[in-house]
């Protein structure tokens, strides 16, 4: 077997190798990762969590997602946009999230920016950068999966131009993968094409 190819899980189904290290990853891989996500608040949540993940393992964020949702009012843009300095202090003291000052500030600032957009604008902007699936062959191994693409670079630039922070090309590509703009499940993965 080639290194980085789909591997059999406990149930015998082939999955992307990264998904097999914990039960939390198996569930996330099988039920969420790569499935289309729409809606401004839902995409704001994913964008925020991807920013918090920067420099950390995704499992760290995944295991604290309930804490993030509680701390950030379920990532409702209007609610987070109304956060005050007291909320900021509360967030920076909350052990249920990643207490990174720059990331907390960026999430609050991004909500304030997005609160001024027309409903649906975030969804439209993000999904306008989805590449044509016909132009993307299924990755056979993990080494075939990029960290950055021209589309993620363009999405990052578009988000930054509109005033959002912590949205570099790598974060933008992770968002594209997680939210189903691209299908980076490996060719032999049971979840490939399960969009």
């Amino acid at each position: 077997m080639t290194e980085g190819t789909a591997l059999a899980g406990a149930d015998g189904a082939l999955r992307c190798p990264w998904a097999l290290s914990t039960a939390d990853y198996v569930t996330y891989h099988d039920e969420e990762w790569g499935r289309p996500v729409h809606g401004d608040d839902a995409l704001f949540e994913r964008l925020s969590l991807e920013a918090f993940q920067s420099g950390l393992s995704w499992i760290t964020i995944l295991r604290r997602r309930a804490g993030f949702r509680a701390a950030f009012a379920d990532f409702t843009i209007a609610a987070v946009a109304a956060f005050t300095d007291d909320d900021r202090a509360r967030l920076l003291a909350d052990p249920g999230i990643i207490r990174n000052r720059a990331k907390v500030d960026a999430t609050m600032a991004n909500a304030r920016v997005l609160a001024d957009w027309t409903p649906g604008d975030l969804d439209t902007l993000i999904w306008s950068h989805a590449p044509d699936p016909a132009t993307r062959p299924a990755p056979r191994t993990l080494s075939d999966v990029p960290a950055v693409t021209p589309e993620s670079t363009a999405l990052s630039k578009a988000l930054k131009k509109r005033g959002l922070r912590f949205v570099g090309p790598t974060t933008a590509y992770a968002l594209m993968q997680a939210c189903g703009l691209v299908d980076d499940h490996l060719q032999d993965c049971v979840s490939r094409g399960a969009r």
Side-chain angles (χ1 to χ4, degrees), residues 53-154:
Q53 185 271 329
S54 180
L56 302 170
S57 169
W58 178 245
I59 196 68
T60 302
I61 303 304
L62 189 59
R63 289 182 173 158
R64 293 183 186 201
R65 187 163 55 173
F68 275 106
R69 287 175 173 166
F72 283 97
D74 287 325
F75 290 95
T76 303
I77 292 168
V80 179
F83 278 11
T84 64
D85 286 343
D86 288 342
D87 290 300
R88 180 178 183 269
R90 171 184 57 80
L91 292 167
L92 292 173
D94 188 337
I97 67 169
I98 304 301
R99 294 172 288 181
N100 178 295
R101 186 177 315 276
K103 294 174 183 180
V104 167
D105 289 347
T107 302
M108 291 173 58
N110 287 348
R112 289 185 194 111
V113 168
L114 292 169
D116 289 334
W117 291 19
T118 302
D121 275 1
L122 180 61
D123 191 298
T124 299
L125 181 119
I126 288 173
W127 277 90
S128 72
H129 290 83
D132 179 354
T135 66
R136 293 181 51 88
R140 295 180 59 81
T141 69
L142 290 179
S143 63
D144 296 332
V145 179
V148 173
T149 64
E151 294 87 2
S152 75
T153 300

